[in-house]
Amino acid sequence: MIVERSLLMKIDSYPIPVTCSYCSSDVIYTSNAAIYGKEYGNGRVYKCTCCDAYVGVHTGTDIPLGRLANRELRQLKKKCHSLFDPAWKGKKVKRRQAYSILATRLGIPVNECHFGWFDKDLLIKAIDVLQEPDWYKGETA
């Protein structure tokens, strides 16, 4: 079941992809079984009809988790999470505060600090920040 966008004011919204940013082909809303061989999680993705770019959606919605990502972008996002998540999961800092600190370091608004929204250059910049010891002790936005 798709929940209306108007009811999801708490979810920051990324535009629904219609055309692939990598190859200009059409993008479809489909089962994630098209990628994984069987459905996982909420079971839905936006997927390019030609290349390997795709993005999942927030559970119960058609709202994309971020931009379409090819293999390289997906690997960079995973790297960011592998460096970022231990800070808040290890209770060194609260999750919101961690995103606020990272946003400040990246020079972006905190409401735009979502790895799924970042392009390649911003992901690389985030990795540089996140590789610094105690990066999470910085100032918040």
Side-chain angles (χ1 to χ4, degrees):
M1 178 176 102
I2 301 298
V3 177
E4 285 187 44
R5 283 178 170 269
S6 61
L7 299 175
L8 297 166
M9 299 307 285
K10 291 190 284 183
I11 296 176
D12 288 330
S13 188
Y14 196 84
I16 290 176
V18 177
T19 304
C20 180
S21 53
Y22 299 98
C23 70
S24 301
S25 296
D26 291 336
V27 173
I28 58 171
Y29 183 66
T30 187
S31 166
N32 63 16
I35 295 159
Y36 305 118
K38 70 177 196 171
E39 283 194 358
Y40 286 95
N42 61 28
R44 307 304 293 171
V45 295
Y46 288 98
K47 181 183 179 323
C48 176
T49 56
C50 189
C51 72
D52 75 338
Y54 62 89
V55 63
V57 299
H58 289 278
T59 301
T61 77
D62 65 348
I63 299 171
L65 291 167
R67 66 176 60 232
L68 282 176
N70 63 6
R71 178 181 304 274
E72 179 183 29
L73 207 66
R74 291 190 301 271
Q75 289 173 340
L76 289 169
K77 288 192 295 184
K78 286 178 189 175
K79 178 70 173 175
C80 282
H81 275 291
S82 74
L83 296 167
F84 179 86
D85 292 352
W88 68 269
K89 287 183 177 180
K91 302 190 188 290
K92 296 173 185 171
V93 65
K94 292 187 179 191
R95 188 175 184 212
R96 264 189 192 183
Q97 184 181 11
Y99 276 110
S100 183
I101 292 165
L102 181 59
T104 298
R105 296 286 308 275
L106 295 175
I108 62 173
V110 71
N111 66 330
E112 294 176 15
C113 194
H114 304 279
F115 295 126
W117 293 18
F118 290 5
D119 62 14
K120 179 181 174 181
D121 291 340
L122 197 51
L123 287 166
I124 290 169
K125 188 174 177 184
I127 289 168
D128 288 344
V129 169
L130 296 169
Q131 287 178 330
E132 295 175 14
D134 299 332
W135 66 267
Y136 52 86
K137 292 183 178 176
E139 300 208 11
T140 60

